Amino acid sequence: MDNSNVELITKMVLEAVEKKNAAQSGEGFLVPIGVSARHIHLTQEHVEILFGEGYHLTKFKELMGGQFASNEKVTIVGLKLRAIENVRVLGPVRKNTQVEISATDAISLGVKAPIRESGNIAGSAPIAIIGPKGAVYLNEGCIVAKRHIHMAPKDAMAAGVHDGDIVSVKADNERGTIFNNVQIRVDDSFTLEMHIDTDEANAAQIKSGDTVRIVSC
């Protein structure tokens, strides 16, 4: 191994140690918060059942990773026929329909929605979805989203983390809340942001745009 490679490896090791020490000392890596309200992802088949044959979602607001908040909204109904109206649909369409709610929403609807990573809906709660043109009943598909941090690769490198890692973060406000079991999700299309639901935000007195810091990896 030549001297240049030795120097490079030494530099990388020192940077990794420095990042770890910074996190342990209370500095940590700062991450902005995005509070995620209840929402739904639909397949094209379900879009057409709910809104009409040949219908396509229309864009209301751009989100990260090529996603968007659509103008379309639906009503979701739990097993006890309790409903929540005006649940926004996010696009583009997906291969599976998924409803993401808070734990408080689950209680209101009377459903046992598990905490899951987005896309992991096997064995999750059943839910009904009502649109202006029709209705869909899902045997599974309703979850409480697992808290997570979106990162671009450069952010992950700066924070010393990798896709799939589980970290803890702290909110330095009056509540001083520490969130454990926060999953790192890395993709070139992501903008740095931690997503928590409205229950978590309210309990910790956090709003969108506030920051937290990674305190352990």
Side-chain angles (χ1 to χ4, degrees), residues 36-56:
S36 182
R38 65 180 78 99
H39 60 272
I40 182 170
H41 303 275
L42 296 171
T43 63
Q44 181 57 34
E45 177 188 2
H46 288 165
V47 168
E48 296 191 35
I49 291 173
L50 296 169
F51 296 97
E53 185 176 352
Y55 193 91
H56 293 278

Side-chain angles (χ1 to χ4, degrees), residues 129-195:
I129 308 164
I130 301 174
K133 299 293 185 181
V136 172
Y137 178 77
L138 302 179
N139 290 314
E140 59 185 19
C142 183
I143 65 170
V144 175
K146 183 176 183 179
R147 60 180 76 112
H148 56 277
I149 299 175
H150 289 282
M151 288 184 166
K154 62 180 178 61
D155 299 316
M157 183 177 296
V161 296
H162 303 87
D163 185 53
D165 283 354
I166 302 296
V167 302
S168 295
V169 306
K170 183 178 180 182
D172 290 316
N173 59 13
E174 187 177 4
R175 290 277 187 171
T177 306
I178 293 178
F179 294 100
N180 296 316
N181 301 321
V182 182
Q183 185 167 21
I184 299 295
R185 296 171 62 181
V186 181
D187 190 271
D188 286 325
S189 65
F190 289 162
T191 301
L192 181 64
E193 193 169 66
M194 177 175 169
H195 286 175

Side-chain angles (χ1 to χ4, degrees), residues 173-177 179 196-206:
N173 59 13
E174 187 177 4
R175 290 277 187 171
T177 306
F179 294 100
I196 57 176
D197 66 29
T198 50
D199 281 358
E200 294 169 314
N202 290 337
Q205 293 185 338
I206 293 173

Side-chain angles (χ1 to χ4, degrees), residues 48-127:
E48 296 191 35
I49 291 173
L50 296 169
F51 296 97
E53 185 176 352
Y55 193 91
H56 293 278
L57 297 175
T58 58
K59 193 174 296 184
F60 169 70
K61 180 182 178 182
E62 290 279 358
L63 303 174
M64 75 171 67
Q67 295 191 85
F68 61 88
S70 77
N71 291 297
E72 289 69 35
K73 296 179 181 179
V74 297
T75 296
I76 55 176
V77 184
L79 296 178
K80 297 181 179 179
L81 299 183
R82 297 172 183 168
I84 296 177
E85 300 179 337
N86 297 317
V87 179
R88 191 176 295 278
V89 180
L90 301 191
V93 294
R94 291 191 175 186
K95 64 177 182 179
N96 292 304
T97 291
Q98 174 179 294
V99 179
E100 297 183 34
I101 60 176
S102 70
T104 298
D105 290 337
I107 294 170
S108 298
L109 291 167
V111 299
K112 295 181 178 179
I115 299 172
R116 295 283 184 82
E117 181 182 1
S118 180
N120 180 10
I121 61 171
S124 58
I127 195 88

